[in-house]
Every structure is written in C-alpha cells, then in structure tokens.
Amino acid sequence: MQKKSIYIAAGLIAVALVVLYVLGWGLKASKDLPSLAEKAAEPAAQSPHASHGTPQQAVPVQEPAPAEAPAVEIPPEKQQLIGVKKAAVEVRALQRTIRTSGKIEVDERRLKTVNAKVEGWIERLYVDFAGRYVQRGEPLAELYSPELVATQQELVSLLKWKKAPEGSGATGDTMRRDAEALIEAARQRLRRFDISEAQIREIEQNGQIRRTLTIASPVAGYVIQKAAVQGMKVAPGERLFDIADLSSVWVVADIYEYELANLKVGDPATIRLSYFPGREFRSKIDYLYPTLSGETRTAKARFSIPNEGGRLKPQMFATVEIAVLLGRKLSVPADAVIETGTRALVYVDRGDGYFEPREIALGARGEGYREVLRGLKAGETVAASAAFLVDSEAQIKGVKPLEKK
C-alpha cells in the first residue's frame, strides 16, 4: 500500500514538471514572435518589389497629434471666492492720456526787439525799468546823433535852395532836377534812421532841426528786457529794449521719447495751473520740436493759450494732459495681462472651470486696455481680474503655456 502511494506521488510530480516546462516554452515563444516578425518584415521593406514582381503598397506614417494645450482647473465656487471676472477679447477704440509738466513761455512770434539805427547817445529815457507795459508808438527814449542832425540840416538847406529864384534855360532845369534828387536822398536817409513821415513833414514845413531822435515802441506789450541807460553811447544795431506781447502765451511741455510715436500736431490737450485752482485751458499741439534732450531724453511739445488780463506769467509751471486716439484695435483689459519681464501671459477661459495659459504679443497701451498683436482672436474670453491668483494656482499645479516652436 505504501509503494502504491509513493508511485502516485511520483507521477503527480512528473506531470507537474511537464506542465511547467510546457508553459515556460510557450512564454518564450510568444516573446520571440515579435522579433521574428520584425526580421521577416525587414527584407520586405528593403525590397521595392514582391517575389512575384508586383509593387509593394507604402504604409503611411502617421504624424503625432498636436499637443493639447494645458489648462488649470478652478471650480466655479472657487472662482467666485477669489474674485475671478471674465472679459471678451474684442476690437475696441483705444485712447491714451499722456500726463506731463510744462512751463509758460513768451510767444516768440509776438516778441520785438528795439535797437538803434544810428550812432549816438541816449539823452532821455522814458522807460527806465523792465516789466513796464507800453502802448504801440509810445516813446521809449530820446537819442542824440550828430549824423542825424547833419542829415536834417542837409534837408533844410536843400529845401531853401529849391525855393530860391529859378534860373533860366537849361541850367535852371538841371538845378531843379538835382535839387529834387538830393532832397529825396536826404528823406531816405532820415527814414532809415526811423524818422517817421510825420516828423519829416514837420521838419520840411517848419525848417527846424530836431536835436534828438525819439525811439518809439513798435508793439503794445511788456518790456521784458532793458539794456538802455540814460547817457550811454549806442552803436548801430545795438539792442536797447525787448518788448513782448503777452496777450497769448506758449506752454512748452516735456514728452518722453517712447511717447513721441503716439503724438501728432493737432492732438487735444487740457492744461491746468496751481495759480488757477479748478480752471482748465483747452488747447491743441501747435508744434513738436525736432530735437531731443540728451540729459532728460525728452522732446518739447508746444501749445498756445490766451492770456486774459495778463494773469499768466512766463516761467509758471503747468500740468498738461494730452488725449491720444490710438484707433480701433484688438485688445484685452490691462488687468488680464501678466507680464513676467520676458513674456506676457493671459488665461483663456475654456469652460467648465478650465483656464488655458497662453503667451501673447502686446502692442499699444490704452486707458485700461492693451493691444494684442498675436496670440488671441476676437470672441475668446480671458480672466480679467484676479488673473494673478489664477497664475499662482497654475504655478502650484505645474501648468505652463505651450512652448513656441
């Protein structure tokens, strides 16, 4: 009985060994099948024709599917908790306000200089201090000039010669013509010395010589500079007075070089002064100066404003706001853009609480909006407020925008 049990156990062990051997060979065979299939396929791939001479059909190579844009999930209740608001990407009319400072300056087109046309000495000074207001034609000074006196004496003598009894014949006609020519030459010299026509007529009628020349103001305005001193000697062309008409003044403002591209002549501006609390002056850009300051990296923009009552003084400071119309451009709210220093990101709403980080290219900067040059299209929606919190969530979860190829 014991021998029979031993035989049965030995048989079972033998059967188990056979089964294990068979299973192990099957696994090895299944592993070797792919390598054998690959080796069999290599000659077929290398040969352009089959064994019977028929062309092989090329197996198309499938290109990898484009990578899906990553997105960060923020449930609606969490969006409401952190204050996420959305805005549409659309074409808007952009406007920008440039705020800068300026100074009131004299309108150079209304500035006149008074100088001497003849050598002489100032015998009397009517305007003896700078800042005085003078009317047009008002006397400024009396100038004594020996040359002026000599010219007047010549005119008076010629007039007397002309009135003398006329000679007869050709000699008398020649003398009359010469006298007229000499008298007109003397008048022209007096006109060049700024003697008025009325003064010349007075000399001719009375025969009296004026010892001094009256220098009159050519314009109504303020004497802003006075070089004349009573008793001083003056030379022809020497500046005596600078007179400015301050009924209209300039405001010259500094514009940074990166803002110049947005400005043009005619852009409207609002000007305010601390001297006039609550008062605003409306003007437009008259002129953009063609040079740039190397120290401040600014250029000059000029405005003209009326000076009612002369209350605006040169060198007063002013605040200038220039409204710049940038046109209609594809844009997003400025709060939706996250600028890292090397790139600009927005988070595009894909629905169901998912936001896709996307890199964009920015253009002009408007009031509360940024122009989008590349990366978005009209109709898309972006996270407009609390975008930095969405970005923080994306950073924590390792969600980054697709790299540009």
Side-chain angles (χ1 to χ4, degrees):
M1 192 68 181
Q2 289 181 347
K3 287 183 178 182
K4 188 177 180 179
S5 299
I6 292 171
Y7 291 147
I8 292 172
L12 290 174
I13 292 171
V15 171
L17 292 173
V18 171
V19 172
L20 290 174
Y21 177 80
V22 171
L23 289 176
W25 182 88
L27 290 173
K28 181 178 180 182
S30 62
K31 291 180 181 179
D32 293 337
L33 281 176
S35 61
L36 292 173
E38 290 174 1
K39 290 180 180 179
E42 285 179 1
Q46 294 173 359
S47 175
H49 302 287
S51 58
H52 299 287
T54 59
Q56 279 280 10
Q57 293 292 333
V59 179
V61 179
Q62 293 185 355
E63 295 183 359
E68 184 179 358
V72 58
E73 181 182 8
I74 302 179
E77 57 274 11
K78 190 173 182 180
Q79 294 180 32
Q80 185 175 6
L81 182 63
I82 64 177
V84 175
K85 294 182 181 179
K86 304 170 186 177
V89 181
E90 59 185 10
V91 177
R92 301 177 175 87
L94 296 186
Q95 177 176 326
R96 182 181 179 187
T97 301
I98 297 176
R99 296 175 176 84
T100 183
S101 61
K103 285 195 304 183
I104 294 178
E105 295 186 5
V106 175
D107 188 340
E108 295 177 5
R109 298 167 297 186
R110 298 172 180 266
L111 181 62
K112 302 293 183 182
T113 294
V114 180
N115 51 35
K117 302 293 180 60
V118 63
E119 185 181 70
W121 288 261
I122 296 177
E123 285 202 346
R124 185 174 181 183
L125 201 59
Y126 295 103
V127 176
D128 52 1
F129 63 91
R132 178 178 165 183
Y133 183 81
V134 295
Q135 296 288 347
R136 180 185 178 89
E138 182 177 341
L140 302 176
E142 295 283 347
L143 181 69
Y144 166 72
S145 171
E147 185 178 358
L148 177 62
V149 172
T151 304
Q152 293 180 80
Q153 184 64 54
E154 180 182 351
L155 177 61
V156 171
S157 300
L158 290 170
L159 289 172
K160 290 180 180 179
W161 180 28
K162 181 182 177 182
K163 292 178 182 179
E166 301 178 356
S168 60
T171 303
D173 293 339
T174 302
M175 292 180 64
R176 281 192 297 271
R177 287 195 300 269
D178 291 343
E180 286 293 341
L182 293 172
I183 289 171
E184 187 59 32
R187 289 172 181 159
Q188 289 295 338
R189 287 199 301 273
L190 291 175
R191 293 188 186 105
R192 295 192 194 102
F193 297 154
D194 281 347
I195 300 295
S196 65
E197 293 294 334
Q199 291 173 331
I200 294 175
R201 285 195 299 268
E202 182 181 352
I203 294 171
E204 292 178 357
Q205 292 172 2
N206 300 333
Q208 296 179 354
I209 299 173
R210 296 174 57 92
R211 187 174 184 277
T212 58
L213 165 66
T214 301
I215 300 175
S217 173
V219 67
Y222 291 90
V223 178
I224 61 174
Q225 185 174 351
K226 183 188 76 70
V229 179
Q230 186 162 339
M232 69 177 289
K233 181 181 178 180
V234 297
E238 186 171 348
R239 175 183 293 184
L240 302 178
F241 303 94
D242 285 339
I243 302 175
D245 178 7
L246 298 180
S247 59
S248 176
V249 294
W250 284 348
V251 176
V252 180
D254 294 320
I255 306 296
Y256 285 105
E257 60 179 315
Y258 66 86
E259 295 173 331
L260 288 174
N262 299 322
L263 293 181
K264 63 182 183 300
V265 173
D267 284 342
T270 302
I271 301 171
R272 301 181 181 89
L273 294 92
S274 59
Y275 184 73
F276 288 105
R279 176 78 181 274
E280 294 182 351
F281 296 87
R282 305 289 181 179
S283 185
K284 295 181 179 180
I285 296 179
D286 287 344
Y287 185 68
L288 288 170
Y289 287 80
T291 57
L292 195 75
S293 170
E295 292 78 15
T296 61
R297 310 305 303 169
T298 59
K300 302 290 185 182
R302 192 183 74 200
F303 310 85
S304 295
I305 57 175
N307 186 11
E308 300 175 2
R311 301 179 66 184
L312 300 179
K313 317 295 183 185
Q315 302 305 311
M316 277 185 171
F317 283 102
T319 302
V320 181
E321 293 184 359
I322 308 170
V324 181
L325 301 178
L326 302 175
R328 297 183 61 81
K329 300 181 183 294
L330 184 69
S331 57
V332 294
D335 292 339
V337 181
I338 299 174
E339 297 186 69
T340 65
T342 57
R343 60 182 180 179
L345 298 177
V346 293
Y347 283 84
V348 182
D349 181 21
R350 289 171 50 182
D352 299 328
Y354 286 91
F355 292 90
E356 173 198 342
R358 191 180 300 176
E359 185 174 348
I360 62 173
L362 296 175
R365 185 189 301 269
E367 289 292 324
Y369 292 93
R370 294 298 303 271
E371 179 189 6
V372 178
L373 301 177
R374 185 175 63 253
L376 291 173
K377 59 184 178 180
E380 291 184 304
T381 304
V382 297
S385 65
F388 67 96
L389 295 176
V390 178
D391 182 64
S392 299
E393 187 76 13
Q395 296 293 331
I396 293 173
K397 295 181 179 180
V399 178
K400 299 181 179 180
L402 290 176
E403 295 293 336
K404 293 189 296 183
K405 295 182 180 179

